Amino acid sequence: MWFVLPALALYILAMLYPLASGAVLAFTDWNGLSAGWNFTWFDNFVRVATDPSALRALLNQLLIAITFPILQNVAGLGLAVALNSRIKSRFVLRTIFFTPAVLTPVILAFLWQYIYSNNGTLNSVLELVGLDALKQSWLGDPKLALWAIIIVITWQYTGYSMVIYLAGLQGVPKEILEAAEVDGASKFQSFFKVTFPLLAPSVTINIILSSVIGLKVFDQVYAMTGGGPGDATQTLTVYQYLRAFNYGEFGYGTAVALVLALIVSLVSALQYKFLRRNEEAAS
């Protein structure tokens, strides 16, 4: 216990105390600057549930949290299968695909903001190949902006899931695959009947991590659009930041953050329970 105490003290100071303080402030009208505040009890939470802007931000956040994990895991698994082969450049390609995952999200967001701009790389390439009709205001069109951001997030973190799936693929016993081949299974059948069920632990890790990232995403949205145009790309994370720091409604912003934390915890717990059951069934 004596060896645990220093780490436990640091954890309490850096994690539990700020969490408890934030939970208290969520029930107040603190503006972030004044020395005192008044308890408003559940008024902030009622406002979160009734404010159209907050509900729109929640829907956008959930859309990212649903579509991003699907796209990331499908792309990551595809890359892992492709790079689990014996092609000579597989190690270089693994590094290239994983690199975006370790780069700063804000830097990548500004890079993609230029790519998506009206005179940026994407529209220039489309014009170069004669597809002028497909040129768009990618971040200026409310119907396209959120999807453009989802593509950026997927591009950044696909390499992360690829590495986890690669580790899972390399742990699949070759004897089982050889037995399936002897029994006459095609490569397609061998993958979906043998390999994929054995990747259940990797699937669990990737889906939970990508869902949490989707529910917490902030940097890319704020750097690329600031929540615009209008509130087309405003997520709950951006909404809470603007309310707390731009409008001086720190208590309300903290309440939004607490609601988001509860959503993340609930979604993660349900996913873990469901995916663990699938792991047990697969084993």
Side-chain angles (χ1 to χ4, degrees), residues 75-85 162 165-166 169 191 195 199:
L77 181 58
L79 287 175
V81 171
L83 298 180
N84 193 44
S85 60
M162 176 198 71
Y165 282 128
L166 268 172
L169 287 170
F191 177 78
T195 303
L199 290 177

Side-chain angles (χ1 to χ4, degrees), residues 217-232:
V217 64
F218 169 79
D219 307 64
Q220 295 89 339
V221 178
Y222 189 75
M224 293 178 70
T225 64
D231 59 356

Side-chain angles (χ1 to χ4, degrees), residues 2 4 32 61 64 71 107 111 120 132 139 143 229 231 233 271:
W2 288 107
V4 173
Q61 195 89 53
I64 295 175
L71 295 174
I107 299 299
L111 172 64
D132 301 54
L139 298 179
K143 296 180 180 178
D231 59 356
T233 63
Q271 283 183 333

Side-chain angles (χ1 to χ4, degrees), residues 140-156:
D141 187 339
K143 296 180 180 178
L144 297 175
L146 188 60
W147 291 104
I149 293 174
I150 291 173
I151 290 173
V152 173
I153 304 169
T154 303
W155 172 83
Q156 180 175 3

Side-chain angles (χ1 to χ4, degrees), residues 103-234:
L103 297 178
T104 307
V106 174
I107 299 299
L108 294 179
F110 283 128
L111 172 64
W112 277 91
Q113 187 182 47
Y114 169 74
I115 293 173
Y116 280 138
S117 64
N118 292 335
N119 297 317
T121 307
L122 182 55
N123 282 337
S124 297
V125 170
L126 291 174
E127 183 177 359
L128 184 64
V129 297
L131 297 175
D132 301 54
L134 297 180
K135 292 171 61 177
Q136 303 287 338
S137 177
W138 301 100
L139 298 179
D141 187 339
K143 296 180 180 178
L144 297 175
L146 188 60
W147 291 104
I149 293 174
I150 291 173
I151 290 173
V152 173
I153 304 169
T154 303
W155 172 83
Q156 180 175 3
Y157 291 108
T158 292
Y160 194 84
S161 60
M162 176 198 71
V163 170
I164 297 175
Y165 282 128
L166 268 172
L169 287 170
Q170 292 173 2
V172 176
K174 294 182 179 179
E175 295 80 5
I176 298 179
L177 297 176
E178 291 172 355
E181 185 177 352
V182 170
D183 289 340
S186 64
K187 290 189 178 295
F188 183 84
Q189 291 173 325
S190 179
F191 177 78
F192 283 100
K193 298 293 185 179
V194 179
T195 303
F196 189 72
L198 293 176
L199 290 177
S202 300
V203 173
T204 298
I205 294 171
N206 268 321
I207 289 181
I208 291 177
L209 288 178
S210 57
S211 297
V212 170
I213 291 173
L215 287 169
K216 292 171 55 181
V217 64
F218 169 79
D219 307 64
Q220 295 89 339
V221 178
Y222 189 75
M224 293 178 70
T225 64
D231 59 356
T233 63
Q234 189 169 100

